[in-house]
Amino acid sequence: MRFVFFAFLIFLLPLTARAELLDIKPVTSPGGIKAWLVEDHTIPVIAIEFGFRDAGSANDPVEKQGLARLVANTMDEGAGDLNAQAFQKELQDQVITLHFDATRDYFSGSLKTLSKNKDRAFELAHMALTDPRFDREALVRMRQANQSRIRSSLSDPEWMAARLLNDKAYAGHPYALNSGGTLSSLENITTSDLKKFHDTMIGKNNLVVAAAGDITAEELGIVLDKIFGTLQDITPPEIADLTLQNAGKTFLFAKDIPQTVIQIIQPGINREAPEYHAAQVMNFILGASGFGSRLTEEIREKRGLTYGIYTSLFNLDHVHGLTLGTSTRTEKVPEMLNLIRAEYQRMIDTPITQKELMDAKSYLVGSLPLSLTSTDKIAEMLLSLQLENLPIDYLDVREKEIQATTIENVSAAARKILSPKSMTTILVGQPLPKDNPEFEAVEIVDTLPNVE
Amino acid sequence: MKQLSFLIVLTCCAILFPLNLAVAAPQPVKNEVVATTAPEESIERTKVFNSESFTLDNGMQVVVIPNFRAPVVTHMVWYKAGAADEEFGHSGIAHFLEHLAFKGSDLPGAAPLKPGEFSKIIRSIGGNDNAFTSHDYTAYFQSIPVAHLDMVMRMEAGRMNGIMPPPAEIESERDVVIEERKQRIDNDPRAQFQEQMASKAFVNHPYGKPIIGWANEIKKMQWPKIKEFYDRWYAPNNAILVISGAISPAEAFQKAIEIYGVLPRESLPERKRPQSPVVENADSQLIIRHPSIREPIIQILYRAPSARQNKTEALALQVLEEIMDGGPSSRLYRSLVSEKKIASSVGLSYSGDVWDDASVWLFATPAQNQSLKNLNKVLQDQLNLLIEKGVSEQELSDAKTRMIDSAIYARDSLAGPAMIIGQALVTGLTLDDVEFWPYNIEAITAQDVQAVAAKYLNPKQTLQYPAITGFLLPEAPEEKPPSEENPQPARTGAQR
């Protein structure tokens, strides 16, 4: 076990000599299916995470939005000769976790099993992937569960703000739709839609696999063929790239609540851009770190305006962005928005301090092992590296690039990203008072998009 | 403060890996171990987490869970003091104190930490930290590279020795807590509903008040009262240290002796809380209507024993929970959602990790066009069936196998085992109760399960404390209330 050795090493030489973080092995099955593996026999648990590129909900037709997620919900509800109840009972009784999901960009599956139940787990995964039943009973049950979820979410202002943000920032692009479906679009989805999605999106050539835990490379090779071997090649549709829309605008959905939810989005940074890692450092100092971030210091600690304020950089296949999320009592919304803009501007105008830089690097590099402490988390990390087309030694590359970041790199990243003019701002809460200067800029939205 | 407390504030422990889901056994758990008549000490029993415990001279308990998968540790200090230990009229003190513990504290042999410095230091070493408050405990934790464990232990020991939030920081933090309450509760009719359910079920008992506190009391809370709570309860002999990760028990005990061992033992008050009276003719129904609610909910809250009060009954209730709501093929989902199509979701939850009475929550959302009245009746039918016919041997053994097997997954984590052990110990269980939990589950019989159902969940019997049935409904005045007996909807702060 390399980690044991590593632990002692670090004890003697704190945080200096670092070997590569994870011993990731590339594995190719006899049938030619590729996967990344981190082998670890400490606990008798195996996790396999897999994704299908370009098979996400961005392909959902407008009148059938929610399709990819509904396929995911229904795919583990019966397969082969097992109906939904029989299939779920086997999973439950053998404590096997098998579920599917869809992001905007890809369709994914997740399998976790105890070593002693692995053979049946692999069979059930194969059945669900290649021979799902998509029975009408299961579709209706899953549709109703989703409709119930949507109706329940209508008392959740953060969920409501996200609906509005997607609609405005991604206007004109499939990302603008509700990947969870709408109350009416879910009604339009039939079992033949599910089957068609399965036949055209779940393929061998868009498959990506990651595994971790109590399994050897040799055994994994055999298992890959067993689970995925009979998949056929497919041709996923092309999705266009997108520029964020409605820059500089503020939208408000009126709701009678004492605290207004605020979400802000603007363009972020490409993976390939030279300032990518500097932007991560900048984001950490600005708002991603929570405690200690500039936004938390100024807005929560000094002024008590909120319980939480966070920023986050994200990269989807067809767009990238920087988001901010927070909330404050209604009367403080204008002050809050001004403070956020001022902090963005300060990050552009004033170089960060040497201490800020060192602390950010230390966290971004040093905290990585904390996200690698369970079998499924390790497999998830391996999958996301592959889905983002990163090299197998990426964690080492990342560390070097973060360590090489300078104060000037961070300023350059801030100048590139943080213009207050490029913000699209979403508010859910009570309308602002009319005598406030912010009031004029706010566009009131009467109907929440992509819900009904 | 902070992130983790969210669910705990609302549902008191929901995210804390309820013992029945998460506690785990390594492979060899076999029925014959329990069935055997050999003397106790000759049986080789396998522990779930392989933890070791040690008690310092000053009374502080130290538990170490070795786990060498990555060069990191989770370090937690749990205090046996929470919102239920507050003086009446001062709700929210335990939680406010938890926030203020980040606003300046002692550091042995060095200058005190300034407000905010604790978390900044933790970030700067590549770690994460936070804290959470429950009715029965307050816990502080850091996940860090093991090389920095000494320093972090000194910081936490300093925080046990003294905190000194400046007055301006107390005022701004009060605003933060008020925003926290708005975000968690005042903005969310579901949370308001939960708050009122608890308040009805726990009359005169501190579990009936919200952990975060009532807004009017948060607004007038003063530092001398908060300090009093800190001085009364924050002491080594009222704390449990749990360390999970890449360190041997011997080494961790040595560090604990050097760093925490120097803190003096303090005299502790007796933990005495007001108890609920038996109220005659009590209203056992809560109806809230709210314009934001589109999906009605029914919830029924029963009081039941905690694991500290009755270990066997608590274990039987855990098995009952698994049989009723262990997954899609368990009784409630299978019957109400898959077969009868009466509910779109349904569940039952029980957590025995509390000091006084625990709660069993039964909850459901009706399927479209199904009445709440009928749903309520079907839920009661399910309980009657359980009480009258019991559970089958197959159902019982399937449930127990799942619980014991799923325990293996609980070891597959750094912070998880520390959470499970800390929560159990701080609510009065022993380390053996956790480590040998699978054997105790194995010993539960069908009769045990039927008996706790009959005793605590019986719709046909008058319980000592009546079950509270709650309805959270859309605002639709033309719609009939779900029960003719009680047509008066409770008007509450939900309407502004």
Side-chain angles (χ1 to χ4, degrees), chain B residues 203-225:
Chain B
V203 174
N204 197 49
H205 188 283
Y207 287 175
K209 64 182 181 171
I211 292 163
I212 196 167
W214 298 112
N216 58 327
E217 294 182 353
I218 299 172
K219 282 180 187 148
K220 66 176 174 64
M221 206 176 288
Q222 294 302 313
W223 170 243
K225 273 282 169 196

PDB file of all heavy atoms in Angstrom, chain B residues 203-225:
ATOM      1  N   VAL B 203     -43.513  19.210  24.303  1.00  0.00           N
ATOM      2  CA  VAL B 203     -44.030  20.274  25.163  1.00  0.00           C
ATOM      3  C   VAL B 203     -43.158  20.378  26.418  1.00  0.00           C
ATOM      4  O   VAL B 203     -42.891  19.373  27.084  1.00  0.00           O
ATOM      5  CB  VAL B 203     -45.493  19.953  25.566  1.00  0.00           C
ATOM      6  CG1 VAL B 203     -46.005  20.973  26.571  1.00  0.00           C
ATOM      7  CG2 VAL B 203     -46.375  19.921  24.325  1.00  0.00           C
ATOM      8  N   ASN B 204     -42.702  21.566  26.693  1.00  0.00           N
ATOM      9  CA  ASN B 204     -41.905  21.860  27.891  1.00  0.00           C
ATOM     10  C   ASN B 204     -40.534  21.168  27.915  1.00  0.00           C
ATOM     11  O   ASN B 204     -39.789  21.304  28.879  1.00  0.00           O
ATOM     12  CB  ASN B 204     -42.673  21.487  29.171  1.00  0.00           C
ATOM     13  CG  ASN B 204     -42.072  22.130  30.398  1.00  0.00           C
ATOM     14  OD1 ASN B 204     -41.809  23.335  30.403  1.00  0.00           O
ATOM     15  ND2 ASN B 204     -41.815  21.349  31.428  1.00  0.00           N
ATOM     16  N   HIS B 205     -40.204  20.423  26.895  1.00  0.00           N
ATOM     17  CA  HIS B 205     -38.878  19.806  26.824  1.00  0.00           C
ATOM     18  C   HIS B 205     -38.033  20.625  25.844  1.00  0.00           C
ATOM     19  O   HIS B 205     -38.554  21.092  24.821  1.00  0.00           O
ATOM     20  CB  HIS B 205     -38.987  18.358  26.333  1.00  0.00           C
ATOM     21  CG  HIS B 205     -37.681  17.625  26.421  1.00  0.00           C
ATOM     22  ND1 HIS B 205     -36.670  17.816  25.500  1.00  0.00           N
ATOM     23  CD2 HIS B 205     -37.207  16.735  27.325  1.00  0.00           C
ATOM     24  CE1 HIS B 205     -35.632  17.057  25.849  1.00  0.00           C
ATOM     25  NE2 HIS B 205     -35.928  16.385  26.952  1.00  0.00           N
ATOM     26  N   PRO B 206     -36.737  20.806  26.142  1.00  0.00           N
ATOM     27  CA  PRO B 206     -35.928  21.659  25.253  1.00  0.00           C
ATOM     28  C   PRO B 206     -35.801  21.140  23.816  1.00  0.00           C
ATOM     29  O   PRO B 206     -35.421  21.912  22.938  1.00  0.00           O
ATOM     30  CB  PRO B 206     -34.564  21.727  25.945  1.00  0.00           C
ATOM     31  CG  PRO B 206     -34.576  20.689  27.010  1.00  0.00           C
ATOM     32  CD  PRO B 206     -35.999  20.415  27.362  1.00  0.00           C
ATOM     33  N   TYR B 207     -36.110  19.868  23.549  1.00  0.00           N
ATOM     34  CA  TYR B 207     -36.089  19.412  22.149  1.00  0.00           C
ATOM     35  C   TYR B 207     -37.191  20.096  21.335  1.00  0.00           C
ATOM     36  O   TYR B 207     -37.200  20.020  20.112  1.00  0.00           O
ATOM     37  CB  TYR B 207     -36.282  17.893  22.053  1.00  0.00           C
ATOM     38  CG  TYR B 207     -35.090  17.071  22.493  1.00  0.00           C
ATOM     39  CD1 TYR B 207     -35.173  15.674  22.551  1.00  0.00           C
ATOM     40  CD2 TYR B 207     -33.885  17.667  22.846  1.00  0.00           C
ATOM     41  CE1 TYR B 207     -34.091  14.903  22.948  1.00  0.00           C
ATOM     42  CE2 TYR B 207     -32.808  16.894  23.252  1.00  0.00           C
ATOM     43  CZ  TYR B 207     -32.918  15.520  23.307  1.00  0.00           C
ATOM     44  OH  TYR B 207     -31.869  14.758  23.702  1.00  0.00           O
ATOM     45  N   GLY B 208     -38.122  20.746  22.027  1.00  0.00           N
ATOM     46  CA  GLY B 208     -39.199  21.442  21.333  1.00  0.00           C
ATOM     47  C   GLY B 208     -38.804  22.815  20.813  1.00  0.00           C
ATOM     48  O   GLY B 208     -39.565  23.460  20.112  1.00  0.00           O
ATOM     49  N   LYS B 209     -37.611  23.272  21.179  1.00  0.00           N
ATOM     50  CA  LYS B 209     -37.184  24.580  20.649  1.00  0.00           C
ATOM     51  C   LYS B 209     -36.101  24.367  19.601  1.00  0.00           C
ATOM     52  O   LYS B 209     -35.368  23.392  19.626  1.00  0.00           O
ATOM     53  CB  LYS B 209     -36.701  25.477  21.785  1.00  0.00           C
ATOM     54  CG  LYS B 209     -35.482  24.941  22.477  1.00  0.00           C
ATOM     55  CD  LYS B 209     -35.045  25.823  23.632  1.00  0.00           C
ATOM     56  CE  LYS B 209     -33.790  25.193  24.241  1.00  0.00           C
ATOM     57  NZ  LYS B 209     -33.119  26.003  25.212  1.00  0.00           N
ATOM     58  N   PRO B 210     -36.008  25.315  18.661  1.00  0.00           N
ATOM     59  CA  PRO B 210     -35.040  25.136  17.581  1.00  0.00           C
ATOM     60  C   PRO B 210     -33.598  25.281  18.085  1.00  0.00           C
ATOM     61  O   PRO B 210     -33.335  26.103  18.962  1.00  0.00           O
ATOM     62  CB  PRO B 210     -35.380  26.262  16.607  1.00  0.00           C
ATOM     63  CG  PRO B 210     -36.131  27.271  17.408  1.00  0.00           C
ATOM     64  CD  PRO B 210     -36.820  26.527  18.512  1.00  0.00           C
ATOM     65  N   ILE B 211     -32.705  24.496  17.533  1.00  0.00           N
ATOM     66  CA  ILE B 211     -31.297  24.560  17.927  1.00  0.00           C
ATOM     67  C   ILE B 211     -30.736  25.947  17.663  1.00  0.00           C
ATOM     68  O   ILE B 211     -30.006  26.504  18.480  1.00  0.00           O
ATOM     69  CB  ILE B 211     -30.494  23.488  17.156  1.00  0.00           C
ATOM     70  CG1 ILE B 211     -30.918  22.100  17.624  1.00  0.00           C
ATOM     71  CG2 ILE B 211     -28.995  23.691  17.357  1.00  0.00           C
ATOM     72  CD1 ILE B 211     -30.528  20.980  16.695  1.00  0.00           C
ATOM     73  N   ILE B 212     -31.076  26.522  16.522  1.00  0.00           N
ATOM     74  CA  ILE B 212     -30.538  27.846  16.187  1.00  0.00           C
ATOM     75  C   ILE B 212     -31.131  28.928  17.087  1.00  0.00           C
ATOM     76  O   ILE B 212     -30.558  29.996  17.239  1.00  0.00           O
ATOM     77  CB  ILE B 212     -30.788  28.163  14.692  1.00  0.00           C
ATOM     78  CG1 ILE B 212     -29.904  29.330  14.229  1.00  0.00           C
ATOM     79  CG2 ILE B 212     -32.259  28.431  14.405  1.00  0.00           C
ATOM     80  CD1 ILE B 212     -29.855  29.512  12.735  1.00  0.00           C
ATOM     81  N   GLY B 213     -32.257  28.636  17.747  1.00  0.00           N
ATOM     82  CA  GLY B 213     -32.876  29.593  18.659  1.00  0.00           C
ATOM     83  C   GLY B 213     -34.060  30.294  18.027  1.00  0.00           C
ATOM     84  O   GLY B 213     -34.220  30.293  16.807  1.00  0.00           O
ATOM     85  N   TRP B 214     -34.921  30.856  18.867  1.00  0.00           N
ATOM     86  CA  TRP B 214     -36.021  31.681  18.383  1.00  0.00           C
ATOM     87  C   TRP B 214     -35.475  33.066  18.061  1.00  0.00           C
ATOM     88  O   TRP B 214     -34.618  33.578  18.772  1.00  0.00           O
ATOM     89  CB  TRP B 214     -37.130  31.790  19.433  1.00  0.00           C
ATOM     90  CG  TRP B 214     -37.779  30.473  19.795  1.00  0.00           C
ATOM     91  CD1 TRP B 214     -37.676  29.826  21.001  1.00  0.00           C
ATOM     92  CD2 TRP B 214     -38.616  29.656  18.970  1.00  0.00           C
ATOM     93  NE1 TRP B 214     -38.404  28.649  20.965  1.00  0.00           N
ATOM     94  CE2 TRP B 214     -38.992  28.515  19.735  1.00  0.00           C
ATOM     95  CE3 TRP B 214     -39.088  29.755  17.657  1.00  0.00           C
ATOM     96  CZ2 TRP B 214     -39.816  27.506  19.240  1.00  0.00           C
ATOM     97  CZ3 TRP B 214     -39.910  28.746  17.158  1.00  0.00           C
ATOM     98  CH2 TRP B 214     -40.265  27.636  17.947  1.00  0.00           C
ATOM     99  N   ALA B 215     -36.000  33.678  16.986  1.00  0.00           N
ATOM    100  CA  ALA B 215     -35.439  34.948  16.503  1.00  0.00           C
ATOM    101  C   ALA B 215     -35.410  36.020  17.592  1.00  0.00           C
ATOM    102  O   ALA B 215     -34.412  36.735  17.751  1.00  0.00           O
ATOM    103  CB  ALA B 215     -36.231  35.427  15.291  1.00  0.00           C
ATOM    104  N   ASN B 216     -36.506  36.121  18.384  1.00  0.00           N
ATOM    105  CA  ASN B 216     -36.543  37.186  19.394  1.00  0.00           C
ATOM    106  C   ASN B 216     -35.476  36.986  20.461  1.00  0.00           C
ATOM    107  O   ASN B 216     -34.962  37.951  21.017  1.00  0.00           O
ATOM    108  CB  ASN B 216     -37.947  37.255  20.023  1.00  0.00           C
ATOM    109  CG  ASN B 216     -38.370  35.942  20.667  1.00  0.00           C
ATOM    110  OD1 ASN B 216     -38.007  34.860  20.194  1.00  0.00           O
ATOM    111  ND2 ASN B 216     -39.117  36.019  21.755  1.00  0.00           N
ATOM    112  N   GLU B 217     -35.115  35.742  20.730  1.00  0.00           N
ATOM    113  CA  GLU B 217     -34.101  35.494  21.762  1.00  0.00           C
ATOM    114  C   GLU B 217     -32.681  35.654  21.212  1.00  0.00           C
ATOM    115  O   GLU B 217     -31.777  36.062  21.936  1.00  0.00           O
ATOM    116  CB  GLU B 217     -34.325  34.112  22.393  1.00  0.00           C
ATOM    117  CG  GLU B 217     -35.643  34.091  23.163  1.00  0.00           C
ATOM    118  CD  GLU B 217     -35.969  32.785  23.891  1.00  0.00           C
ATOM    119  OE1 GLU B 217     -35.239  31.787  23.724  1.00  0.00           O
ATOM    120  OE2 GLU B 217     -36.966  32.784  24.622  1.00  0.00           O
ATOM    121  N   ILE B 218     -32.497  35.325  19.916  1.00  0.00           N
ATOM    122  CA  ILE B 218     -31.171  35.555  19.305  1.00  0.00           C
ATOM    123  C   ILE B 218     -30.870  37.061  19.342  1.00  0.00           C
ATOM    124  O   ILE B 218     -29.757  37.483  19.634  1.00  0.00           O
ATOM    125  CB  ILE B 218     -31.138  35.062  17.839  1.00  0.00           C
ATOM    126  CG1 ILE B 218     -31.419  33.563  17.757  1.00  0.00           C
ATOM    127  CG2 ILE B 218     -29.793  35.380  17.188  1.00  0.00           C
ATOM    128  CD1 ILE B 218     -31.604  33.047  16.326  1.00  0.00           C
ATOM    129  N   LYS B 219     -31.908  37.858  19.083  1.00  0.00           N
ATOM    130  CA  LYS B 219     -31.695  39.307  18.986  1.00  0.00           C
ATOM    131  C   LYS B 219     -31.240  39.920  20.304  1.00  0.00           C
ATOM    132  O   LYS B 219     -30.528  40.907  20.315  1.00  0.00           O
ATOM    133  CB  LYS B 219     -32.981  39.997  18.502  1.00  0.00           C
ATOM    134  CG  LYS B 219     -33.169  39.834  17.007  1.00  0.00           C
ATOM    135  CD  LYS B 219     -34.434  40.504  16.498  1.00  0.00           C
ATOM    136  CE  LYS B 219     -34.634  40.148  15.033  1.00  0.00           C
ATOM    137  NZ  LYS B 219     -36.039  40.081  14.657  1.00  0.00           N
ATOM    138  N   LYS B 220     -31.659  39.327  21.429  1.00  0.00           N
ATOM    139  CA  LYS B 220     -31.296  39.988  22.695  1.00  0.00           C
ATOM    140  C   LYS B 220     -30.203  39.230  23.478  1.00  0.00           C
ATOM    141  O   LYS B 220     -29.907  39.571  24.616  1.00  0.00           O
ATOM    142  CB  LYS B 220     -32.554  40.186  23.552  1.00  0.00           C
ATOM    143  CG  LYS B 220     -33.207  38.908  24.035  1.00  0.00           C
ATOM    144  CD  LYS B 220     -34.386  39.245  24.952  1.00  0.00           C
ATOM    145  CE  LYS B 220     -35.209  38.058  25.373  1.00  0.00           C
ATOM    146  NZ  LYS B 220     -34.694  37.027  26.164  1.00  0.00           N
ATOM    147  N   MET B 221     -29.615  38.242  22.850  1.00  0.00           N
ATOM    148  CA  MET B 221     -28.603  37.454  23.549  1.00  0.00           C
ATOM    149  C   MET B 221     -27.364  38.294  23.899  1.00  0.00           C
ATOM    150  O   MET B 221     -26.865  39.023  23.068  1.00  0.00           O
ATOM    151  CB  MET B 221     -28.197  36.327  22.604  1.00  0.00           C
ATOM    152  CG  MET B 221     -27.668  35.123  23.281  1.00  0.00           C
ATOM    153  SD  MET B 221     -27.367  33.894  22.001  1.00  0.00           S
ATOM    154  CE  MET B 221     -29.017  33.427  21.560  1.00  0.00           C
ATOM    155  N   GLN B 222     -26.894  38.185  25.132  1.00  0.00           N
ATOM    156  CA  GLN B 222     -25.752  38.987  25.570  1.00  0.00           C
ATOM    157  C   GLN B 222     -24.555  38.117  25.918  1.00  0.00           C
ATOM    158  O   GLN B 222     -24.698  36.983  26.362  1.00  0.00           O
ATOM    159  CB  GLN B 222     -26.142  39.833  26.803  1.00  0.00           C
ATOM    160  CG  GLN B 222     -27.188  40.904  26.503  1.00  0.00           C
ATOM    161  CD  GLN B 222     -26.744  41.882  25.422  1.00  0.00           C
ATOM    162  OE1 GLN B 222     -25.620  42.384  25.450  1.00  0.00           O
ATOM    163  NE2 GLN B 222     -27.608  42.131  24.434  1.00  0.00           N
ATOM    164  N   TRP B 223     -23.368  38.685  25.730  1.00  0.00           N
ATOM    165  CA  TRP B 223     -22.122  37.945  25.934  1.00  0.00           C
ATOM    166  C   TRP B 223     -22.006  37.318  27.327  1.00  0.00           C
ATOM    167  O   TRP B 223     -21.597  36.147  27.431  1.00  0.00           O
ATOM    168  CB  TRP B 223     -20.918  38.840  25.613  1.00  0.00           C
ATOM    169  CG  TRP B 223     -19.610  38.241  26.032  1.00  0.00           C
ATOM    170  CD1 TRP B 223     -18.741  38.739  26.949  1.00  0.00           C
ATOM    171  CD2 TRP B 223     -19.015  37.014  25.546  1.00  0.00           C
ATOM    172  NE1 TRP B 223     -17.651  37.918  27.083  1.00  0.00           N
ATOM    173  CE2 TRP B 223     -17.801  36.846  26.225  1.00  0.00           C
ATOM    174  CE3 TRP B 223     -19.409  36.053  24.628  1.00  0.00           C
ATOM    175  CZ2 TRP B 223     -16.957  35.756  26.013  1.00  0.00           C
ATOM    176  CZ3 TRP B 223     -18.565  34.958  24.417  1.00  0.00           C
ATOM    177  CH2 TRP B 223     -17.358  34.823  25.106  1.00  0.00           C
ATOM    178  N   PRO B 224     -22.367  38.045  28.431  1.00  0.00           N
ATOM    179  CA  PRO B 224     -22.183  37.392  29.750  1.00  0.00           C
ATOM    180  C   PRO B 224     -22.908  36.050  29.853  1.00  0.00           C
ATOM    181  O   PRO B 224     -22.383  35.097  30.444  1.00  0.00           O
ATOM    182  CB  PRO B 224     -22.767  38.415  30.726  1.00  0.00           C
ATOM    183  CG  PRO B 224     -22.629  39.728  30.021  1.00  0.00           C
ATOM    184  CD  PRO B 224     -22.813  39.436  28.568  1.00  0.00           C
ATOM    185  N   LYS B 225     -24.107  35.953  29.262  1.00  0.00           N
ATOM    186  CA  LYS B 225     -24.847  34.685  29.305  1.00  0.00           C
ATOM    187  C   LYS B 225     -24.156  33.614  28.453  1.00  0.00           C
ATOM    188  O   LYS B 225     -24.150  32.435  28.799  1.00  0.00           O
ATOM    189  CB  LYS B 225     -26.273  34.905  28.761  1.00  0.00           C
ATOM    190  CG  LYS B 225     -27.247  35.357  29.824  1.00  0.00           C
ATOM    191  CD  LYS B 225     -27.670  34.174  30.678  1.00  0.00           C
ATOM    192  CE  LYS B 225     -28.428  34.661  31.904  1.00  0.00           C
ATOM    193  NZ  LYS B 225     -28.522  33.617  32.940  1.00  0.00           N
TER     194      LYS B 225
END
